[in-house]
Amino acid sequence: MAKPQTTAGEIHKRVIRLLILATLLMGTAIITVVGYQQIRQTQQSATRLMKGLQRSVIGDQPDWHWWRRYSAINTFETNVRVTNPRGSSVKYYYSPFTRDFLSAKSHKVFGTKAIGYTPDYGLTYYRESYYHGNRLEIWLNLMPIVETLVSVIAVVLLVMVATILIGGFYVRSVARQLTQPLASLNTAAQEQAHQRERRIALPVPAQPVEVNQLAESFNALLETVNAHTAQERQFTSNAAHELRTPIAAVLTQVQLLQRRAADHPEIIPQSLTYISEESIRMKNLVDSLLTLSRADRAVLKLVPVNLQDVVAATIARERPLLHQTLTVTGTQSASVVLGAAESLEQVLTALLDNAAKYSPATSTITVDLTTTATMHVIAVKDEGMGISAADKPHVFERFYRADSARTPEIAGTGLGLAIVAQLVHLNHGSIAVGDNVPRGSQFVVTLPRADSQSEKISE
């Protein structure tokens, strides 16, 4: 398996590869262009030398002095042979040092006739032509060109190496600088991962923007985790507290029966009644906890539902059970939402029970159904004691009960409205609490209309 790489290491490795490729291409291009220009220059020099040599031939013999003196190119290292085939014999005319050059064994280079290598002389470029029956041959020394090309190659290689070394150092430094905020953020996150208590916010670097946004996202996530952790702890504490009270009462009555039932049988019915009431209270609390737990994990299948039918069915079921008068107001047209009918009936039932719990028996509970351009709204209004401004932000929290509601006459666990809020959320709606003028409270459930939000809700 490949060794894991840091971001800085990966950036350094990739940029170095790109730098090496770029310098190789640049160096190859420079060497190729310089070499090509040198070859072109050599060919042009050979052409000019050949024309000068042709003009220097007087009769059948070349005038070496004139050729060397009036040639525009240095001819000191140029070897020339003129062959005159006229008559019965062939005559050869050599420039100075040409006999020694030709006596040495020459080797063709790259399988070409033009370029050859002769020991002690080096590389040469060969050119021949015919002038007035004479064969003119020129061997142009290429070593000055080779030395120039070697110098260019050496310089290019040095520049390439220096560029790669300096560029590698610079890239490594820049990569570390760019990834330092991310490394610091990672270190802080690892430290937070080992914290058993509340996680504190991670440092937020100003640059680069992506790391800044990532740190802010992490901090938002940490806030959510902290809030959920605190909520779970509070939930566990509240659940334990709510269960401990009826359990303690049941144990007290059982112990009382064990000690005194034999001598005072008259206390048995009263104790059994008390045990039964506390058992029912525990059962209701456990049922509420299970309902809330299922609501937290539930994913409802949303289908078109007519709120008129939901309200009518719920009112018909609840009216015989409540002492208050139930009335329905608002729109009479079809109010279709994408939702789960059973959960919506459960929401409306819980709101009606809550209104009845805190309202006088002679009062009226009103269910008002209205419609806007994008929403359907159900408002459950009562004429009870109302909810204070300080309690309103907390009424949907789990186990929360206002001080005015903590009386023996008003039973409750503080979970009913939390369940309602969760079910409304699962139906892609929202719920709020307000005052019912002139007296009481109203709970307002807002649900998107099916015809305007169907695509969004179905997702």
Side-chain angles (χ1 to χ4, degrees):
M1 297 179 62
K3 182 180 179 180
Q5 288 281 348
T6 62
T7 303
E10 192 67 22
I11 293 175
H12 179 263
K13 181 176 68 175
R14 292 177 182 270
V15 174
I16 286 299
R17 289 177 179 175
L18 180 62
L19 194 60
I20 292 174
L21 178 61
T23 53
L24 284 176
L25 291 176
M26 186 183 306
T28 303
I30 292 174
I31 293 172
T32 301
V33 171
V34 171
Y36 176 75
Q37 292 296 333
Q38 292 291 331
I39 293 174
R40 287 288 304 274
Q41 183 178 354
T42 300
Q43 292 175 340
Q44 294 172 0
S45 298
T47 300
R48 289 195 294 269
L49 286 173
M50 184 63 72
K51 290 182 179 180
L53 182 62
Q54 291 174 353
R55 289 193 296 270
S56 68
V57 176
I58 300 175
D60 295 331
Q61 183 175 353
D63 187 346
W64 304 120
H65 175 73
W66 186 92
W67 178 61
R68 292 184 181 278
R69 181 176 182 179
Y70 294 101
S71 176
I73 301 174
N74 183 14
T75 60
F76 181 75
E77 295 183 350
T78 303
N79 297 292
V80 179
R81 181 174 64 183
V82 177
T83 304
N84 184 359
R86 295 179 181 179
S88 58
S89 61
V90 178
K91 293 183 178 182
Y92 296 95
Y93 303 93
Y94 300 92
S95 65
F97 311 110
T98 301
R99 284 188 173 88
D100 296 336
F101 168 75
L102 293 178
S103 64
K105 187 176 181 181
S106 179
H107 306 279
K108 301 300 180 182
V109 178
F110 307 125
T112 63
K113 183 179 179 182
I115 300 176
Y117 174 77
T118 303
D120 299 330
Y121 291 91
L123 293 173
T124 56
Y125 180 79
Y126 174 75
R127 188 74 176 269
E128 70 174 2
S129 68
Y130 292 87
Y131 182 75
H132 295 309
N134 297 312
R135 183 184 180 187
L136 310 179
E137 297 175 283
I138 294 178
W139 288 269
L140 189 63
N141 194 337
L142 294 179
M143 291 313 296
I145 296 176
V146 172
E147 292 174 356
T148 301
L149 190 59
V150 170
S151 299
V152 171
I153 294 174
V155 171
V156 169
L157 289 177
L158 288 176
V159 172
M160 288 173 60
V161 173
T163 301
I164 293 173
L165 292 177
I166 297 174
F169 176 78
Y170 176 75
V171 170
R172 181 183 293 274
S173 176
V174 171
R176 287 179 177 176
Q177 182 179 359
L178 290 177
T179 57
Q180 181 59 39
L182 188 60
S184 301
L185 184 63
N186 179 54
T187 302
Q190 290 179 349
E191 293 176 354
Q192 290 296 316
H194 294 87
Q195 294 287 339
R196 298 183 64 86
E197 300 298 326
R198 185 178 185 273
R199 272 69 171 175
I200 61 176
L202 299 177
V204 180
Q207 296 291 339
V209 176
E210 294 82 357
V211 180
N212 175 276
Q213 295 174 347
L214 179 62
E216 291 181 348
S217 299
F218 275 147
N219 286 336
L221 179 61
L222 283 176
E223 290 182 3
T224 303
V225 170
N226 289 331
H228 286 174
T229 301
Q231 187 179 26
E232 289 177 0
R233 290 178 178 175
Q234 186 65 33
F235 178 81
T236 303
S237 176
N238 290 337
H241 175 76
E242 294 292 336
L243 286 171
R244 184 170 57 239
T245 301
I247 290 175
V250 169
L251 288 176
T252 300
Q253 293 300 319
V254 170
Q255 292 171 358
L256 177 63
L257 290 175
Q258 289 174 341
R259 292 196 307 268
R260 305 185 61 183
D263 298 331
H264 300 278
E266 69 276 4
I267 67 173
I268 295 177
Q270 181 181 356
S271 295
L272 291 178
T273 300
Y274 195 82
I275 291 173
S276 176
E277 291 175 351
E278 293 302 318
S279 298
I280 293 173
R281 180 181 173 185
M282 284 190 292
K283 177 182 180 301
N284 292 336
L285 178 59
V286 172
D287 289 343
S288 297
L289 290 173
L290 291 175
T291 301
L292 188 58
S293 177
R294 287 193 293 267
D296 285 338
R297 301 189 304 270
V299 178
L300 300 181
K301 181 179 180 180
L302 305 183
V303 296
V305 176
N306 189 345
L307 288 182
Q308 289 281 357
D309 297 338
V310 172
V311 172
T314 306
I315 293 296
R317 184 176 61 252
E318 291 293 311
R319 181 172 278 131
L321 304 177
L322 302 181
H323 299 289
Q324 293 82 359
T325 302
L326 294 181
T327 62
V328 180
T329 61
T331 180
Q332 300 299 318
S333 59
S335 303
V336 180
V337 298
L338 285 181
E342 182 179 354
S343 65
L344 293 176
E345 289 185 11
Q346 188 175 353
V347 167
L348 187 54
T349 299
L351 292 178
L352 290 174
D353 292 341
N354 185 76
K357 186 188 302 182
Y358 298 102
S359 301
T362 57
S363 63
T364 300
I365 299 175
T366 303
V367 178
D368 184 55
L369 180 59
T370 57
T371 299
T372 67
T374 59
M375 299 290 178
H376 292 303
V377 181
I378 303 176
V380 178
K381 306 176 182 180
D382 62 58
E383 299 173 356
M385 64 182 66
I387 302 174
S388 67
D391 291 327
K392 286 176 183 176
H394 306 287
V395 294
F396 299 109
E397 295 178 2
R398 301 175 182 189
F399 291 109
Y400 184 84
R401 297 188 71 191
D403 291 337
S404 58
R406 294 181 179 274
T407 63
E409 292 79 13
I410 303 177
T413 62
L415 293 176
L417 292 180
I419 295 173
V420 167
Q422 182 64 17
L423 291 176
V424 171
H425 174 73
L426 291 174
N427 281 276
H428 295 244
S430 62
I431 185 170
V433 61
D435 296 327
N436 182 30
V437 179
R439 175 179 172 80
S441 303
Q442 62 172 334
F443 289 85
V444 181
V445 178
T446 304
L447 298 167
R449 292 179 54 155
D451 52 359
S452 63
Q453 299 290 333
S454 58
E455 181 177 354
K456 179 179 177 181
I457 296 174
S458 62
E459 293 177 354

